[in-house]
């Protein structure tokens, strides 16, 4: 079981998918706290509805990014968080948070990285004319959407797609692979070697069948 903290800014559909995976017993994690930089983010409502502690940390209350992140780290530690999941958290994070949770911060991004980092990436993918897009769960390092890749899922781009229709197709995959990546972390199966993340085979305790949870996603 891994103790996670989820950082959000917006609607929180990825948070919802993590909550549901935990409640269905597919994800062996406990969501200790949901932190938002936006006071009225709908993601906070979702957390409260499921009895998950929330915290709002406002950007304007802190003189610089490092002080803001120090407060985020304080709240995460206070709740015993071991793994941080960025889920639509619209802020660049500093070394303060990166160093406190080295290779223990994940992010979900709606493109097949390293294509289309940054913002409005579904539009960028459409404009570029790619035939496939998708999403990426990666560990967070100091760069822009640049950390080691854990899982990617691919979706087709159709001729009739709009930003909305493509985003929706990608989002459905986000909701599938983010809990899956967290589950792999929870099982201690992710090994980072340089840029590459290797997924170890699941090790069932001797004398038992292989843990069926590993195959439920
Ligand atoms: C998702 O598209 C995610 O990939 C990106 O921000 C969006 C968050 O959506 N990082 P939601 O708040 O989880 O609905």
């Amino acid at each position: 079981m891994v103790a996670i903290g989820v950082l959000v800014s917006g609607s929180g559909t990825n948070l919802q998918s993590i909550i549901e995976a935990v409640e269905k017993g597919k994800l062996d994690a406990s969501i200790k706290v949901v932190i938002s930089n936006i006071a009225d983010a709908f993601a906070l409502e979702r957390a409260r509805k499921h009895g998950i502690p929330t915290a709002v940390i406002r950007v304007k209350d802190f003189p610089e990014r490092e002080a803001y992140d120090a407060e985020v780290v304080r709240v995460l530690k206070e709740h015993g968080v071991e793994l941080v999941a960025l889920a639509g958290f619209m802020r660049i994070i500093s070394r303060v948070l990166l160093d406190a949770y080295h290779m223990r911060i994940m992010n979900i991004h709606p493109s097949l990285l390293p294509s289309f980092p940054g913002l409005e990436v579904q539009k960028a993918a459409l404009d570029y004319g790619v035939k496939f897009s998708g999403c990426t769960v990666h560990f967070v390092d100091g760069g822009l959407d640049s950390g080691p890749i854990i899982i990617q899922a691919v979706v087709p781009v159709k001729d009739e797609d709009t930003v909305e229709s493509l985003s929706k197709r990608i989002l459905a995959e986000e909701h599938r692979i983010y809990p899956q990546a967290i589950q792999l972390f929870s099982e201690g199966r992710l090994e980072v070697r340089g840029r590459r993340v290797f997924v170890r085979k699941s090790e069932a305790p001797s004398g038992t069948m292989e843990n069926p949870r590993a195959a439920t996603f």
Side-chain angles (χ1 to χ4, degrees):
M1 159 96 61
V2 65
I4 62 176
V6 185
L7 271 53
V8 298
S9 300
S11 98
T13 65
N14 277 287
L15 168 66
Q16 187 72 39
S17 75
I18 296 167
I19 292 172
E20 285 172 15
V22 170
E23 290 184 350
K24 286 179 187 157
K26 288 181 169 186
L27 173 53
D28 194 19
S30 170
I31 308 173
K32 298 295 185 190
V33 65
V34 171
I35 300 174
S36 175
N37 60 327
I38 307 289
D40 61 355
F42 187 64
L44 293 169
E45 298 281 318
R46 296 180 191 268
R48 288 185 199 115
K49 199 172 159 202
H50 292 264
I52 298 165
T54 60
V56 175
I57 306 177
R58 290 179 181 79
V59 174
K60 66 175 171 55
D61 293 341
F62 296 88
E64 74 245 343
R65 195 174 294 283
E66 286 72 17
Y68 182 91
D69 283 359
E71 177 62 7
V72 172
V73 170
R74 191 191 67 73
V75 173
L76 291 169
K77 299 275 183 195
E78 184 180 78
H79 287 84
V81 168
E82 299 162 310
L83 174 71
V84 181
L86 307 184
F89 186 59
M90 299 298 283
R91 272 180 71 74
I92 291 174
I93 66 176
S94 72
R95 291 260 43 117
V96 173
L97 181 50
L98 287 168
D99 291 347
Y101 283 92
H102 180 69
M103 287 301 146
R104 287 186 297 140
I105 307 173
M106 286 184 187
N107 183 42
I108 179 94
H109 182 80
S111 79
L112 291 174
L113 291 170
S115 291
F116 311 117
L119 297 174
E120 297 189 18
V121 299
Q122 297 92 338
K123 179 175 187 309
L126 272 182
D127 289 350
Y128 196 94
V130 293
K131 298 297 185 192
F132 292 93
S133 188
C135 50
T136 304
V137 182
H138 63 93
F139 284 113
V140 175
D141 64 7
L144 178 66
D145 302 319
S146 63
I149 290 169
I150 303 165
I151 303 182
Q152 294 185 302
V154 180
V155 304
V157 179
K158 301 181 179 175
D159 289 350
E160 63 275 20
D161 264 334
T162 61
V163 171
E164 289 70 32
S165 65
L166 178 59
S167 300
K168 194 173 163 205
R169 193 174 307 122
I170 292 172
L171 204 54
E173 291 302 301
E174 294 183 34
H175 298 162
R176 193 174 63 78
I177 67 170
Y178 209 179
Q180 190 179 8
I182 297 169
Q183 176 64 15
L184 290 172
F185 184 97
S186 177
E187 292 175 15
R189 291 171 58 193
L190 298 178
E191 187 185 333
V192 184
R193 282 187 242 153
R195 277 216 52 84
R196 297 183 67 187
V197 180
F198 294 85
V199 178
R200 292 198 202 95
K201 290 204 168 58
S202 77
E203 285 169 25
S206 60
T208 67
M209 300 282 285
E210 186 162 335
N211 178 1
R213 281 201 182 122
T216 49
F217 284 96

